[in-house]
Amino acid sequence: MDYDRVRVKQMARGVLRRARPRPWLVTLVYTLLTTLPGVAVSFVTSVPQTLAGSLSYAGRYGAAAADGALVLISLFASVLVGLLTAVLSTGYAYYAMNLWRGRRTDFQDLFHGLSLAGKVIPLYLLMGVFCALWGLACMVVYLPALAVGLLLESEAALYAALTLCTIAYLALLLNRTLRYALAYYILLDQPRYRAGEALDASKDLMVGHRWTFFVLLLSFLGWFLLGSLLCSAAGLLCQQLLPSGSVGLALITWLLTSLCTLPLTLWLVPYLACSCAGFYEAVAQNPGPASGFPPRPEESDPERRSRGGFDGDYRPGDYRGPDLPI
């Protein structure tokens, strides 16, 4: 793999400067599409909560039934918002891939995931299940901490052991879940793949590259810390200016923090997305015209197309990069 993280990020910045429409405009639309549904759900579910309070006179059983209905409505709405976000995020990944490959981009790219919703949604759910299972499996690292606490009967030793186990837990979980990082890109390039096949192809491509991808994500940590500081400063400002019991404090705090971090978000999100698309292109040995990497093999090669998985079910090691135009 001919990959240089610094060069990829430089290329990504250059691509964003030349892009039309402006990436920050596309990102603004994407942010609104993924944020407003969640805000709307929070507002709508507050209505049943008010009704539940008004029904409290009906007795203990009536109030319990109202609370249960509220929980079910909130859960169902949250699942729908999560699925919508997964579909729109796939569209944004498609937009970033087009940017990197030097193709024409438009706001319509954000809705490209709708055409693959029948595969994006199962992929999203499958990844969630696998990540949850790996999280449960990695919790075994806490057993030594519990053993230390029982044997030494020392709170200091227990806290130190829990800290070390937490670090080990996060490292193990990150190591396992990073294998799925390229699944959406692969599904965009190989729309005939099923969700499980896209995950298998991602695991194949990420062999030996998980640390490289983690370092790429880690290089953006400073910007995310800056965004967190801006959010904290905005929250403290709201607490100082408004009394704690004032009406709409949470809404005003959310609006102020969103406005403070919006410029950074509109610059950082496309920068990160385009850099990740460049990483995928390098790993898949399919560098686009914007990357400056060596040219990819001819897509018309029948043998290579057969290895791409279109002639049968996916087998480990089959994936060799995009075979069909998006």
Side-chain angles (χ1 to χ4, degrees):
M1 179 185 69
D2 187 11
Y3 170 77
D4 186 340
R5 175 177 55 83
V6 176
R7 184 171 55 152
V8 165
K9 296 178 69 173
Q10 291 175 347
M11 295 287 182
R13 292 194 296 268
V15 166
L16 295 176
R17 284 193 296 267
R18 299 189 301 268
R20 296 296 184 276
R22 291 293 187 180
W24 70 268
L25 279 175
V26 180
T27 305
L28 177 61
V29 174
Y30 167 72
T31 303
L32 293 176
L33 290 174
T34 54
T35 303
L36 292 181
V39 176
V41 166
S42 299
F43 174 77
V44 171
T45 53
S46 65
V47 176
Q49 186 175 9
T50 304
L51 294 176
S54 65
L55 290 174
S56 59
Y57 69 88
R60 179 178 56 187
Y61 299 104
D67 291 339
L70 175 61
V71 171
L72 290 177
I73 292 174
S74 301
L75 179 61
F76 180 72
S78 300
V79 171
L80 289 181
V81 171
L83 296 179
L84 176 63
T85 302
V87 173
L88 293 175
S89 298
T90 304
Y92 195 82
Y94 174 76
Y95 166 75
M97 289 171 63
N98 284 342
L99 280 178
W100 182 266
R101 293 172 176 176
R103 295 175 177 173
R104 182 179 179 180
T105 58
D106 201 351
F107 293 97
Q108 296 179 356
D109 294 345
L110 297 177
F111 304 99
H112 182 76
L114 294 175
S115 62
L116 297 172
K119 297 184 178 182
V120 170
I121 292 176
L123 177 60
Y124 170 77
L125 296 176
L126 198 59
M127 289 177 62
V129 170
F130 284 164
C131 290
L133 292 177
W134 277 116
L136 293 175
C138 292
M139 288 187 69
V140 297
V141 300
Y142 284 100
L143 295 179
L146 297 177
V148 169
L150 293 175
L151 293 176
L152 300 180
E153 298 182 354
S154 170
E155 291 187 359
L158 177 61
Y159 291 149
L162 285 175
T163 301
L164 294 176
C165 289
T166 300
I167 296 174
Y169 168 79
L170 294 176
L172 287 173
L173 184 60
L174 184 65
N175 179 269
R176 306 316 295 173
T177 56
L178 279 178
R179 302 188 304 167
Y180 313 135
L182 303 181
Y184 289 105
Y185 298 99
I186 293 170
L187 188 61
L188 287 169
D189 271 335
Q190 304 282 12
R192 298 188 184 183
Y193 274 7
R194 296 188 295 268
E197 294 173 346
L199 284 179
D200 289 338
S202 177
K203 289 187 287 186
D204 284 347
L205 284 183
M206 291 298 287
V207 171
H209 301 143
R210 278 171 284 184
W211 174 253
T212 304
F213 186 64
F214 175 71
V215 172
L216 174 63
L217 297 179
L218 198 63
S219 66
F220 291 89
L221 180 61
W223 296 110
F224 287 106
L225 292 178
L226 176 60
S228 299
L229 290 176
L230 292 175
C231 286
S232 300
L236 291 175
L237 180 61
C238 289
Q239 291 180 0
Q240 293 295 328
L241 297 179
L242 299 174
S244 58
S246 61
V247 179
L249 176 61
L251 178 60
I252 294 175
T253 303
W254 177 79
L255 289 175
L256 184 58
T257 54
S258 299
L259 290 176
C260 289
T261 58
L262 185 61
L264 178 62
T265 300
L266 298 182
W267 175 80
L268 182 59
V269 170
Y271 181 23
L272 175 60
C274 201
S275 299
C276 291
F279 172 83
Y280 163 71
E281 295 283 74
V283 171
Q285 297 298 326
N286 179 43
S291 67
F293 290 112
R296 62 181 177 180
E298 290 295 328
E299 293 182 354
S300 58
D301 183 1
E303 182 181 355
R304 182 173 180 272
R305 293 182 63 84
S306 176
R307 292 198 306 267
F310 289 109
D311 297 338
D313 292 339
Y314 177 83
R315 299 178 302 276
D318 282 349
Y319 188 72
R320 295 294 185 274
D323 288 323
L324 293 180
I326 298 176

